Amino acid sequence: QQAAAAAAAAAEEAAAMAEVPAAEVSQAEKDELFCAYAAMILQDEGMDISEDNINTLIKAAGGSIEAFFPALFAKMCAGKDIESMLKFGGGGGAPGSAAAGGAAAGGGGAAGGGG
């Protein structure tokens, strides 16, 4: 139940974040988001999370950030197990939410007994 509550809270927080117009997000927050998304893409592609690669992705996306951010972010990620940081424990929020919705609608699921 704690996992379901955490997933619900995360979904609620994500919905609240999406309600903030881009014009109201500070430049520092945009810089951080650019670097975080670039790092996730690089990790997913099996590429080094380096200053040059982060800059290349951000420029390809049409973005521009403070010059120190990519170097800082690359140093912060160096030697860290980024892959494990990107994995969700307990199966993640979306599947649990779908299962809860299916059970509530009489869809059975794990609580339905199966058979």
Side-chain angles (χ1 to χ4, degrees):
Q1 285 184 344
Q2 287 179 341
E12 198 172 301
E13 182 178 328
M17 283 181 57
E19 294 174 5
V20 176
E24 293 181 18
V25 177
S26 73
Q27 186 61 45
E29 289 173 315
K30 289 178 187 177
D31 291 353
E32 185 178 339
L33 287 170
F34 264 131
C35 288
Y37 291 145
M40 286 188 273
I41 291 167
L42 291 167
Q43 175 66 38
D44 192 49
E45 292 298 316
M47 298 175 69
D48 288 336
I49 301 174
S50 67
E51 178 181 0
D52 288 340
N53 286 345
I54 291 171
N55 273 319
T56 299
L57 273 174
I58 292 169
K59 287 177 184 173
S64 63
I65 64 172
E66 293 287 334
F68 72 91
F69 255 101
L72 179 68
F73 212 84
K75 286 178 184 177
M76 182 183 71
C77 292
K80 304 289 188 304
D81 185 5
I82 304 299
E83 181 71 26
S84 69
M85 292 182 198
L86 298 176
K87 292 180 181 174
F88 293 101
S97 298

